[in-house]
Structures are given as structure tokens and as C-alpha cells.
Amino acid sequence: MEMTAFTLERRPGKPLYEQLYQQLKERIAAGSLPSGEKLPSKLRLASLLGVSKNTVETAYEQLVVEGYVEARPKRGYFVCFQDRLGYVGRPGPAASQPANPPRPAGPDIWADFHPSRIDAAYFPYTKWRKYIREALDASAADLLQIGDNQGEYALRVQIAEYLRCARGVRCGPEQIVVGAGMEVLLTQLHMLLGREVCYGLEDPGYELPRRLLMRLTDRVLPVPIDGRGLQPDILRKTSANAAYVTPSHQFPYGSVMPAGRRQELLAWAGEGPGRYILEDDYDSEFRYAGRPVDALMSMDTDGRVVYFGTFSKALIPSLRIGFMVLPPSLLERCRQNLDFYHNTVSRIDQAALARFMAEGDFERHVNRMRKVYRRKLEKTRAVLSSYGDRLTLRGDSAGFYVLLEVKNGMDEETLCRRAREAGLRVYPLSASLPAGEKGPPGILLGFAGLPEEKLEPALRRLLSAWRGGGQCPLTNVTGPEDTAGFFAR
Amino acid sequence: MEMTAFTLERRPGKPLYEQLYQQLKERIAAGSLPSGEKLPSKLRLASLLGVSKNTVETAYEQLVVEGYVEARPKRGYFVCFQDRLGYVGRPGPAASQPANPPRPAGPDIWADFHPSRIDAAYFPYTKWRKYIREALDASAADLLQIGDNQGEYALRVQIAEYLRCARGVRCGPEQIVVGAGMEVLLTQLHMLLGREVCYGLEDPGYELPRRLLMRLTDRVLPVPIDGRGLQPDILRKTSANAAYVTPSHQFPYGSVMPAGRRQELLAWAGEGPGRYILEDDYDSEFRYAGRPVDALMSMDTDGRVVYFGTFSKALIPSLRIGFMVLPPSLLERCRQNLDFYHNTVSRIDQAALARFMAEGDFERHVNRMRKVYRRKLEKTRAVLSSYGDRLTLRGDSAGFYVLLEVKNGMDEETLCRRAREAGLRVYPLSASLPAGEKGPPGILLGFAGLPEEKLEPALRRLLSAWRGGGQCPLTNVTGPEDTAGFFAR
């Protein structure tokens, strides 16, 4: 071994032993110190390099730990590694360009009628900050350790009370599992129900659970809906034993599942062992005519319904807090089969949300937002009515969007393109339908997310784009802030 | 219909229409208003009850929405529901007792040597609070909307830089997916790799991934380890195409996978299409002799390694922030197949952690904790050495526990029971081994979680319990605070 070629510098941040280790390792990997070669004794190398014996020993030991060198008792240190893949010096596929952060979507879109967007401007930020601070200050030591797998007990007590008052559901905190969104919770339920379970899903229906479950299992069946929701008669003919439904507000058609259909579904569940109904109650707080319809779970006397709720709509989506309510029959299985699965939500956030609910802030916020959204919905109805009978609104008493049936002779593609040319984004119904299925042209029009002052001009602009035919589409819209140009037209 | 039986009261909180709706619904459900029965006209019922026509109309419309009543044009309102399941008035299985919050585990345990517990007392709370406040204050509006599926860009930039400096891994932020723990991230990876993938796992090995994957698929194979970790020769004979390994610190034996074995594994991955190595690098920051061993991924020139990291050990477990690094070959699949899967970590926490890392606080904290844990380990070695050659320490240069081989004639059960009687909890090695497998009696002894001032007395107490035979086991220990009694003996 050529020992003079080492360059060791005394400098801060990089100890001598580490420089020596690094240079030895490079030679071993490059093959210039081949496998089987004996390294000089610690004392000899130390005196050659003018460093302490300790420095050489630490470098050798690190090479031993990493498996480049082996120490043979009473014989010394020997190289025991041979580079077979030639990884040294090769750049590696991961040396990627410094990527730029993703650009915000569509800078040429002035107004986005996304069907699931909410209005975050009313979020009670000051209150929330206060509770977060208190959780950070008060419970410091306790909240640092790993918590209960199902979530903070105080939060589960609040959720149970909320479900009793607002959704007619009677359950105890021990039935509730808090989780970082539907994706996590539905996966956990799948692990509970076992790999043999076969899912029946509303068709057409919400995309997320379908895509999630199809990545977990090949037992996912579409079950056609009618105006009352998922059809138990058809469900009964399949091998499904878990039915996913949105009874409070079916996506995308917006229908409410009537009481009779709910009972038929519960009857189906009662007919076989291990049958469950998965109730996704994603936006039930937001019903604008009459009172909210009680949850399907409130009718369940047999313990067949798993209920999914979320704070993404009623509070803010970026918190990522949802929950599921398990029927008593699944609790023991949850404790046994999922005891390794730690809770997925920060304990600080859970503690803050528990306070937020206990102090009545959550209820006040939901009541306030219901009024805000009702105003926006009424505005939407009023503006759209000027389009006469070429436009029919469906599913317009709940949630965050209306379904428009447009009969002005344009197909969905033209409707969306016309909107796009006017700086507006609307969403075609067919994107939410099974491939190939064709109804009358439909548009999912989210009204909840747009600021109130923007909603009316955006709606008028939309009608004008659909009405106007070819006359002067707006092509010079350059950014979300570019409202002056629009109003000046 | 007997109309006089309605009791409507003008009182706040419960509108008249809702009282009427509720009472009508109860009669329909109970069958006293049978299916097909015509309800009185709105005007007639209003005048009978002395309420406005509007009140009756709202009640009727709610019943229509919920499917109890149907409106037939020009004929009036008819009951259309018949209770077939008899759910009304039945208590339902969910009416559970008000459960008490779960009691903290083992009040009679004075010291718990849990092998994965960390010392949270040193967490830089003031700094963390500051960054959380700043994230809450500054970025309010932006952080309220749903974020990037893979996580906050600023955090991913910091993680990539940390991996480059500390783990020898070159990757870009676009390869990183932030997630609420190994459970979530491994599930996401499973969804990416597809249902056909077959996993080979270290045996014995870490319980969590094995249990998680076995709930997702039946393609999970144990692959025996030797002193160098998972054995590629045996792996090669199985149908596994994804190998889960802990090369930096194998659980439970604590060995480091040598460079040669790492290359053999990489060679295995290169032999077939779609083969991947899952590197779980859960505690690599904490190596107490020499420098941390570079990650297996740092050797990967072929894009075959998926790297899993966590902040649970280096920061605090209750934050629930981990991440995985995908090789470039999986990025496109991630964007296409998981675009529905929203990120699972609060954006506020992500923003705070990005600041914490950018300001150097993370590095400072890890360096500090390495010293704290090294001190504890040295204390542990010193105290245990007094037990002579009846005790051998293994895996004692990294992580949060040591593996004790005890040769004093007691079996694991006796060792644990003796400890328990002295108010101590220790963990038998066999619980982490495949059923039936028997080596010499072993104990996993976590040294990191106990406060420094408690560690030495707890260790002495343990040796005394193992030494002392039957003489006066401590049975009067009543709580974690009961240290006086112990010291007074």
C-alpha cells in the first residue's frame, strides 16, 4: 500500500480519523486495496502519517463496522470487500436536478368552481391558535410520548357527543378511531375486515374510495345507483359483503337516500354474517333546507354500520383530521389486529380540536358556515335562473356544489372549453361517471369555495361564455388578480 | 290521523317545524301513520295546530327529503315508509356505558426498560413552539388549503439536504413522500408496487412491517438472517421481489449489515425487473462508536432502494412525521397511481419542521441527544459489568437498547418475573423471535428512555433482582412516584 498518498489535514468539522477512513474506503471500493490485502499495523501507519495510534484505530474500527475490513485476532486488519457493482464514482440515478417547487395550478384561471373546495377565509384562526398554544404550553411532557392508537380520549369524547347531537348516532368514545383522512381510515378498516372482504361501491360514485380499495384488493364491485342511491336488489346479487354509500348526499348526483332504502340496506346487512355498510358522511353538516338528515348509523340496531366523518369540510382540509366509528362487533378485532398501528394525527392538534369542540367553537363555526354557504347557494340559484329552462339544477340543497344539466345544445367538452376561454374552471359530470356512460351534458359547479364578492361576477361570466357563442372570448386574462380587465369589459 | 295529540311548544332551540317533523316521523316509524295514508293538507293542519302554514310545509318537506313522505302533484302528501326492522325505540347496540379513559399502563412499574422509548425531556420545546407559532401566524391563508400530496416542498428540500449530509444519500425533493408514520408510508408503497408484489422480511425482525403487510397481502415471506443480516442466497430462492431490511441496526440483534452483504443485496435487486429493497433506517442517527454508517441507498446506482426515515426517534414520536425516498423509477407511478391519496401530515407541523431543520436546530438536537444516549449507554455498560460473565451485551453501539444474553441459570420468563417483582419492566428476546425458536435467554433492555438520574438505581435494582434469588422481592411498590420506598430499603 502506498501510504504517502494520504492527505490528512487538521481542520475543524472533519476529524483526522474520518479523513483517513474515507480515503481508505475509497481505495478499497476502487480496488486499489484489493480484498485479502493486509493493512499496515496501527502503530506503523500512525507513525508514517504522523497521527496518533488512536486515530488509525478509530478509522480501522469504522471500516470493520461497515464490513470493508476484518480484524483477524493476532494477525491484524485485512481488506474483505470487493466492489462488484462498480458503484464508486458512478453518479447514481438519484442525482436529480434541483427541482423547482410545483407552480400553483392554472395561473390563467380567474375563478375555479371546484366541487369540493370550501371557504377557508372564515376559519376562526385566532381561536385555533389559542388552543394550539395552550396544548403546546400546558400538556408538554405528556403529549410528547406516543398516544393511544385510536386517538386522544378527550377528542373522542367530544366527537361522540357531537355525533349524538348532530347526527343522531349513539356511540361511545371507545368506538371511535381518529385518523389522518379517509385514505388512512379506510385502509385501517380494510385491515380489520380482512383480505377476503368484497366491496360494493356506488356507481357512479366518489372516486377516492374506489381507487384506494382497488389498489388494496381485486374484490371491488360497482353497484349501480338509482335516484334513491345504491340499489340493494342488485347488491344482493353480488358477492359483496361491504357496501360503501354516501346516504346524506350522494356524489355526484346529490340525492339523499330515503328512509325506506336505508332500511333495505340494513336488512341486506342483517342477512349474512360479516356484512357491513360503510357510511361516508363527508358533508352532512351542510344542508340548507330544513334540518340535517340523521345518519344511516342512527337507524342501525344491529351493529352493521361503520361511519366515516371528517373535519376537512367543516373546519379546514389541511388539518387532515377525520374519524371512523366502529360498531361494537369490530372493537375486539381492532384491539387485536391493529394494536401495532399507531395513531396518525399529531396529539397537539387532537388536544386543540378537543378544546375547540368542548368550548362550543366548532358548533358556532359550522352554524356560521352553513349561513355563508346558504347565501352563496341562493346567489348561485338567482344568477343561474336568468338562463331560463336551458339549465336545471340538481342536488342543490346540500354540500358545496350543484349539478347543472345544460340544454343549450353544447356538449360537456364545449361547455368546459368555453368556460376555460373566459378564465373559469368548471368540471364535467362525465369525469365522475363510469367510462362510456353518457347522460345529458352535466357540469359540477362548486359554489362554496369562491369568495362571496367574486361569486356573482364569476357566474355571470360563465353564463355569458355559454350564451355568447363565438363573440369575443376572453383570452387576455393573465392571472387570478386580473379582475380589473374583466369588470371593464 | 288524530291531530290533537301533537304537543308543540314555543321554546328557543327547537323550532316548531322540527317538533312537528319529529312527532310525525315517530308515528310513521311506529306504524300509527301507516304507509299509504294521506296527511292533512298544509292549510288544514296549520289551522288545527294554530301554527303557520309555513311551519307545516317545512316539516312536510323534511319528511319528503328523508323519504318518510312523498308529495303527489295535485293530490297532497302521503306516507311512504313502513318500519320493517323495528328500529324505533330499540336501544341499539351502540348505547355503550360512558367508558373511562384508559388508565396509564402499569402503575406498579417503577422503571420501564422499553427497547424503543426515547428521552423526550430534552426536546427543544421553546424552539418548536416558536416555529409552530410562526407557521400559524405567517402563512395562515396559504396553509389552510390542501397541500401537495407528497408533502410541503420546503420540508422535502430540508430532508434531501439532511440525507445528503448525514446518510450519504443523493436525492431530490421530488423523490420524497412525507407521511404520518411507517404504517402509512409502507401502505402507500404497497399501493405503488401493486398487489402482485411479494415481500421478503428479516426473520427474526421488526414486528410492525410484518404485521402490517400480512394484513394487506398473503405474499409475505420470512427470510432468515445471519450475523450479517438478511441472507441474499436464501432470498434468491424465494419468489420475493421486495426485501425489507434494517441494514444500519438490525432488530432485534443490533448487527450492522457489512458492505459486502449490501452489495449482494443490490446485486439480487438488479437481477430481476421490478425488484426493490426497502431500507428502514429508523435509528441510524444514534451510533455511539465512530461515525454513522452510510445508508444502503447511498450505494444504489440502479434505483432499486426505497428508503424509510422517521422523526419519531430523533425528535418526538407524537409528532408522527416520517418520510420515504422513492427511486426515480417509481416517481411516475406515484404521480399516476397515488394522485388521489392526500398527504397525511398537518401542513403547519411540516412548515415548523422545515424551519427547525433550516435553522440548524435539528442537527443540534440530534448531536446533543447522541451525547445523552452515549452517556446512558456507558452507565449501562458500567453497571452491568458488575454482573461478570453471566451477562453478555450485544448490539451495544447504536440505538436505544442493548441485547443482554443472561447466563445465570434463569430462563427468560423467570428473568422478566423477577424484574417485575422489583417494579421493573424488561422485554424478553423470544417475543421478537419466530414462534418456537429458542436461543440462550435474552433480554431487550432499553436504556434511552429512562431519566439519567433513574438509570443507575434501576439497573442496580435489576441486577439485585436477578442475583438475589428469593430474598425479599419488592411487592409494595405502588406507583411510578414511589421512589422513596425503594431507596429506603
Side-chain angles (χ1 to χ4, degrees), chain A residues 419-488:
Chain A
R420 188 82 177 65
E421 287 164 357
L424 306 170
R425 182 167 290 155
V426 298
Y427 295 81
L429 171 64
S430 57
S432 300
L433 300 182
E437 197 156 311
K438 271 272 178 187
I443 295 291
L444 297 179
L445 192 82
F447 60 83
L450 287 178
E452 282 189 274
E453 68 280 7
K454 204 170 176 178
L455 182 62
E456 179 162 350
L459 288 164
R460 296 208 180 282
R461 192 169 180 167
L462 179 66
L463 290 188
S464 148
W466 286 349
R467 212 180 257 131
Q471 18 166 316
C472 71
L474 251 184
T475 51
N476 62 341
V477 179
T478 54
E481 298 317 311
D482 183 20
T483 57
F486 174 67
F487 286 111

Side-chain angles (χ1 to χ4, degrees), chain A residues 66 99 143 153 215 259 318 320, chain B residues 66 99 143 153 191 259 318 343:
Chain A
E66 301 192 5
L143 290 185
Y153 190 79
R215 299 223 66 82
S318 62
R320 304 303 289 143
Chain B
E66 300 192 7
L143 290 185
Y153 191 78
M191 292 180 175
S318 62
N343 193 272

Side-chain angles (χ1 to χ4, degrees), chain B residues 233-290:
Chain B
D233 294 345
I234 303 182
L235 179 65
R236 193 168 276 117
K237 287 176 196 144
T238 71
S239 55
N241 51 0
Y244 168 91
V245 289
T246 51
S248 297
H249 193 215
Q250 204 273 335
F251 183 90
Y253 290 118
S255 60
V256 176
M257 186 182 287
R261 178 63 59 86
R262 291 172 186 232
Q263 282 220 321
E264 287 176 56
L265 260 185
L266 289 166
W268 165 84
E271 282 161 23
R275 283 190 180 170
Y276 291 97
I277 298 167
L278 281 45
E279 175 179 24
D280 185 357
D281 205 34
Y282 64 106
D283 70 354
S284 58
E285 292 93 350
F286 299 102
R287 204 168 170 81
Y288 310 118

